[in-house]
């Protein structure tokens, strides 16, 4: 599907002022201004993060209550259960807090619990609370979940079990009856940064505990590689405090990684420096696959392994789970695309809702995202889950899929999510009514521009400006992610100088602009090769990357899209 190119604009006076202050390329200053960096001090803070930039954990509402309750549990010999979600954010959070607590309390009084994705579902479960009660736990620390579990935490209280909730999801009007709630999004919390992930909140808890106990800062900082993994996987903004956590977390992952991360790197065969993109596409899928295909408890065992041999064993299990996930993902996507292409009614709709009873519940969200790559519209993929139907929804640019799902609530047993994604369950006899209602809601509310993918471009970059010095500064903008994406450029009126198709799907570019030439690679762009064959000028959208061949490094374009020049 053709993308809508959107080139960002910057205030010219602010760009000139920043260029005067920094003395660097005007194009770089334009990008920095777009990202809210307008002064020398702002640029220094951005390019040179410091651990001293991290906020005081005691600023978080209820932190003193949480720390005091944990220490009282230790002093009284109470058993503490560290409870977390089954995704990357939840399991890394559990690994951090579980390991830290075992360092200052009797190890036999500390254990962890990860709910089973299919038997218990997301978040706090009654089964998990009953497990805690049966095994004598009087304090549960929930990580990446719990903020909406009002009734279940109330139930735990009737059993004599206290809760400390560490969560980052938006609270409802009614908060759970916990001893302490650590969530910077809750009303009345003065903590200045509101976008921590669940593992980030857990890190703040152990930072405060380390401070209260008089431990060296390294007692908490040693877990930063796990925090960075969670930031990358949970798609939270990589700005403010998250940028600092990610920056130093990646530094640790490259210099002295957790045994679990080291094992996953070794199994993946990565030889280069580990970057945020590797955490997103190499580490996170393997970790998430455990919960999708089997049992996520093995992830905590991986990240708490005391030696590399044990970690490699658990990493091998995750690798196998991921292979199963990829096979289920591929097969389901193929079947779903065949359904869309085989029935003309789908081409007339503004939404996609597909169902097959045999599809694996663990991959329906991934498949929904893949369908959007081909058919750009709000998409729901459903499958059978016991006696009910369950599935995942994914959205497109500018459309609130959670609100659309909410409008269909009369046909649902349950639902939850946010602007871009949601999960639903419904009775089989309500499926057709839901499909019709969802289409009605989407068709009546979606804006035309939301039905075409948008490609955000930071600036125009002529070939003459592509130099090692520019690339070096661009790399200092790492780590990239939401809120600080890798800069995307456009170059105009380029002529082909021998580009060719490679492996049937990709283009190896050789392009010229005036007297300057650049090479590049465009994955999955072979269908646009005719634009180059036409012999007329083209505009190309790309990112810059470093290519190494025979120990020689050079800059190349990683082409995202191309179109005829105006």
């Amino acid at each position: 599907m053709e993308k809508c190119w959107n080139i960002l604009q910057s205030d010219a006076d602010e760009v000139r002022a920043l260029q005067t202050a920094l003395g660097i390329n005007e194009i770089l200053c334009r990008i920095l201004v777009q990202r809210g960096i307008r002064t020398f001090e702002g640029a220094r803070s951005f390019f040179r993060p410091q651990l001293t930039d991290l906020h005081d954990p005691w600023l978080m509402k209820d932190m003193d209550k949480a720390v005091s309750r944990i220490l009282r549990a230790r002093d009284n010999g109470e058993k503490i259960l560290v409870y977390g979600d089954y995704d990357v954010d939840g399991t890394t959070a559990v690994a951090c807090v579980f390991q830290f607590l075992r360092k200052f309390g009797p190890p036999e009084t500390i254990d962890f619990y990860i709910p089973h994705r299919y038997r218990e579902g997301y978040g706090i479960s009654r089964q998990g609370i009953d497990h805690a009660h049966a095994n004598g736990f009087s304090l549960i620390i929930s990580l990446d979940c719990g903020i909406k579990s009002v009734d279940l935490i109330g139930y735990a209280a009737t059993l004599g079990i206290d809760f400390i909730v560490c969560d980052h999801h938006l609270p409802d009007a009614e908060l759970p009856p916990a001893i302490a709630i650590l969530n910077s999004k809750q009303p009345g919390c003065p903590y200045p940064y509101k976008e921590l992930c669940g593992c980030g909140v857990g890190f703040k808890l152990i930072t405060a505990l380390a401070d209260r106990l008089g431990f060296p800062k390294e007692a908490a900082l040693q877990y930063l590689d796990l925090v960075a993994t969670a930031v990358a996987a949970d798609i939270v903004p990589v700005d403010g405090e998250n940028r600092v956590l990610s920056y130093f977390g990646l530094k640790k992952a490259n210099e002295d990684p957790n045994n679990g991360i080291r094992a996953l790197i070794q199994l993946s065969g990565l030889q280069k420096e580990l970057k945020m993109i590797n955490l997103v596409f190499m580490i996170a899928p393997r970790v998430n696959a455990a919960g999708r295909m089997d049992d996520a408890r093995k992830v905590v065992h991986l990240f708490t392994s005391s030696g590399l041999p044990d970690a490699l064993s658990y990493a091998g299990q995750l690798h196998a789970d991921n292979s199963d996930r990829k096979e289920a993902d591929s097969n389901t996507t193929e079947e779903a695309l065949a359904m869309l292409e085989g029935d003309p009614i789908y081409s007339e709709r503004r939404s996609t809702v597909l169902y097959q009873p045999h599809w694996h519940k663990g991959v329906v969200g991934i498949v929904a995202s893949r369908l959007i790559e081909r058919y750009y519209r709000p998409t729901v993929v459903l499958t059978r889950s016991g006696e009910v139907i369950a599935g995942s929804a994914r959205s497109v640019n500018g459309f609130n899929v959670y609100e659309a799902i909410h409008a269909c609530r009369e046909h649902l047993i349950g639902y939850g999510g946010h602007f871009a994604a949601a999960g639903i369950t419904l009775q089989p006899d309500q499926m057709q009514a839901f499909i019709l209602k969802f289409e009605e809601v989407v068709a009546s509310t979606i804006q035309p521009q939301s039905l075409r993918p948008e490609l955000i471009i930071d600036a125009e970059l002529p070939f003459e400006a592509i130099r090692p010095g520019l690339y070096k500064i661009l790399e200092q903008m790492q780590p990239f992610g939401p809120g600080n994406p890798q800069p995307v450029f456009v170059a105009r009126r380029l002529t082909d100088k021998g580009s060719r198709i490679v492996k049937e799907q990709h283009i190896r570019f050789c392009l010229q602009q005036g007297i300057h030439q650049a090479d590049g690679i465009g994955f999955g762009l072979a269908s646009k090769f005719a634009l180059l064959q036409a012999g007329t000028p083209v505009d190309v959208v790309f990112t810059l990357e470093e290519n190494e061949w025979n120990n020689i490094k050079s800059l190349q374009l990683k082409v995202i899209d191309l179109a005829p020049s105006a």
Side-chain angles (χ1 to χ4, degrees):
M1 175 174 286
E2 293 299 317
K3 299 179 176 68
C4 177
W5 294 7
N6 180 6
I7 302 178
L8 300 178
Q9 302 299 313
S10 304
D11 183 278
D13 292 337
E14 291 183 343
V15 172
R16 279 193 294 271
L18 187 62
Q19 189 176 15
T20 300
L22 300 182
I24 61 173
N25 188 296
E26 182 265 343
I27 294 169
L28 289 166
C29 292
R30 191 180 307 168
I31 295 170
L32 293 173
V33 167
Q34 289 164 3
R35 299 180 187 201
I37 300 161
R38 298 179 173 86
T39 65
F40 179 87
E41 285 301 319
R44 183 169 65 178
S45 177
F46 177 78
F47 283 110
R48 301 288 183 268
Q50 303 292 324
L51 286 170
T52 51
D53 296 334
L54 295 176
H55 300 302
D56 184 345
W58 298 105
L59 292 173
M60 194 169 285
K61 183 179 180 181
D62 283 0
M63 184 62 80
D64 186 65
K65 293 179 183 178
V67 169
S68 296
R69 180 66 183 91
I70 292 169
L71 295 181
R72 179 156 59 87
R74 179 200 64 171
D75 295 343
N76 294 339
E78 296 177 61
K79 295 180 71 176
I80 302 174
L81 188 65
V82 184
Y83 189 117
D85 190 25
Y86 42 68
D87 66 1
V88 177
D89 194 15
T91 52
T92 52
V94 167
C96 291
V97 175
F98 173 69
Q99 288 182 98
F100 182 87
L101 293 182
R102 285 171 69 95
K103 289 183 185 301
F104 75 82
E108 65 274 10
T109 66
I110 314 293
D111 204 354
F112 72 87
Y113 189 92
I114 305 292
H116 193 278
R117 186 183 191 112
Y118 306 119
R119 290 195 292 267
E120 297 172 73
Y122 164 78
I124 308 300
S125 71
R126 190 180 183 96
Q127 184 175 326
I129 293 171
D130 290 341
H131 165 85
H133 180 60
N135 289 277
F137 291 94
S138 54
L139 176 61
I140 295 177
I141 303 171
S142 71
L143 295 150
D144 193 34
C145 59
I147 196 65
K148 296 179 184 292
S149 302
V150 176
D151 292 341
L152 285 167
I153 291 176
Y155 167 67
T158 67
L159 302 177
I161 299 172
D162 289 340
F163 255 88
I164 295 171
V165 173
C166 305
D167 205 348
H168 69 116
H169 297 98
L170 196 65
D172 291 331
E174 184 181 2
L175 295 175
I179 291 295
I181 296 174
L182 305 182
N183 184 331
S184 61
K185 294 186 176 82
Q186 69 173 309
C189 181
Y191 195 79
Y193 189 68
K194 305 297 183 182
E195 300 298 335
L196 291 170
C197 62
C199 188
V201 178
F203 173 77
K204 291 313 221 181
L205 174 60
I206 62 177
T207 302
L209 279 164
D211 181 57
R212 178 68 61 85
L213 291 164
F215 288 1
K217 292 185 184 298
E218 180 55 34
L221 296 178
Q222 65 180 302
Y223 303 111
L224 279 178
D225 49 356
L226 293 179
V227 178
T229 302
V231 170
D234 221 50
I235 321 296
V236 291
V238 187
D239 60 11
E241 193 167 36
N242 278 343
R243 176 170 174 79
V244 181
L245 294 169
S246 301
Y247 180 90
F248 286 99
L250 282 168
K251 190 172 187 294
K252 184 177 186 304
N254 282 291
E255 295 174 358
D256 180 28
N258 170 283
N259 283 321
I261 291 177
R262 189 190 301 274
L264 289 170
I265 292 172
Q266 185 171 320
L267 205 63
S268 303
L270 181 71
Q271 301 295 323
K272 300 179 181 179
E273 178 187 3
L274 186 77
K275 296 184 178 181
M276 212 67 167
I277 194 168
N278 304 118
L279 295 178
V280 173
F281 293 108
M282 185 186 79
I283 303 291
R286 287 170 169 80
V287 173
N288 276 329
R292 291 183 187 280
M293 310 307 291
D294 187 29
D295 189 332
R297 287 179 298 179
K298 70 183 78 168
V299 177
V300 180
H301 289 303
L302 168 74
F303 288 136
T304 58
S305 296
S306 58
L308 187 59
D310 281 348
L312 283 168
S313 173
Y314 286 115
Q317 295 176 46
L318 267 60
H319 190 73
D321 288 337
N322 195 46
S323 296
D324 293 342
R325 189 274 305 168
K326 286 193 285 188
E327 183 178 359
D329 169 5
S330 177
N331 292 341
T332 305
T333 301
E334 190 176 323
E335 289 182 27
L337 287 172
M339 290 173 68
L340 288 173
E341 292 158 4
D343 191 339
I345 194 172
Y346 289 113
S347 64
E348 302 168 6
R349 291 180 172 171
R350 291 290 180 267
S351 68
T352 297
V353 183
L354 297 179
Y355 165 77
Q356 285 294 336
H358 63 275
W359 286 344
H360 196 293
K361 188 180 174 184
V363 301
V364 291
I366 299 171
V367 172
S369 296
R370 297 204 191 286
L371 296 180
I372 287 174
E373 293 172 8
R374 184 80 65 88
Y375 297 92
Y376 196 75
R377 56 200 185 208
T379 298
V380 184
V381 179
L382 302 166
T383 188
R384 190 86 183 194
S385 179
E387 297 300 312
V388 301
I389 289 172
S392 292
R394 295 292 183 269
S395 195
V396 293
N397 179 53
F399 184 76
N400 191 329
V401 75
Y402 177 80
E403 288 297 329
I405 293 292
H406 177 72
C408 304
R409 60 191 179 278
E410 64 190 285
H411 304 297
L412 305 175
I413 300 171
Y415 62 97
H418 50 80
F419 192 98
I424 65 171
T425 55
L426 64 159
Q427 293 291 353
D429 62 3
Q430 290 293 309
M431 186 171 66
Q432 288 304 318
F434 167 76
I435 292 172
L436 293 174
K437 180 67 174 179
F438 186 69
E439 170 64 18
E440 176 191 322
V441 171
V442 173
S444 64
T445 57
I446 197 166
Q447 299 299 309
Q449 62 267 27
S450 290
L451 292 169
R452 186 180 177 192
E454 184 179 39
L455 182 52
I456 302 294
I457 299 166
D458 291 273
E460 185 171 342
L461 182 66
F463 280 5
E464 66 179 356
I466 299 176
R467 298 174 181 173
L470 173 80
Y471 179 74
K472 184 178 179 181
I473 297 177
L474 288 173
E475 279 298 283
Q476 290 178 31
M477 294 177 69
Q478 296 260 18
F480 297 130
N484 183 43
Q486 182 176 11
V488 175
F489 302 103
V490 62
R492 301 198 183 278
R493 301 201 64 78
L494 312 179
T495 54
D496 179 46
K497 288 297 176 181
S499 302
R500 67 185 192 279
I501 292 179
V502 293
K503 297 184 178 178
E504 299 183 354
Q505 299 179 44
H506 320 302
I507 300 177
R508 170 60 69 181
F509 286 91
C510 183
L511 301 167
Q512 187 161 339
Q513 185 185 54
I515 62 172
H516 302 278
Q517 191 166 303
D519 296 328
I521 183 71
F523 295 108
L525 292 178
S527 62
K528 295 197 169 189
F529 190 67
L531 294 176
L532 300 172
Q533 291 178 308
T536 53
V538 295
D539 297 347
V540 167
V541 178
F542 61 94
T543 58
L544 275 181
E545 65 179 14
E546 193 172 62
N547 184 42
E548 185 171 350
W549 179 254
N550 289 335
N551 295 319
I552 298 174
K553 294 180 178 180
S554 61
L555 297 180
Q556 71 171 7
L557 317 180
K558 187 174 182 182
V559 178
I560 302 168
D561 200 11
L562 66 155
S565 297

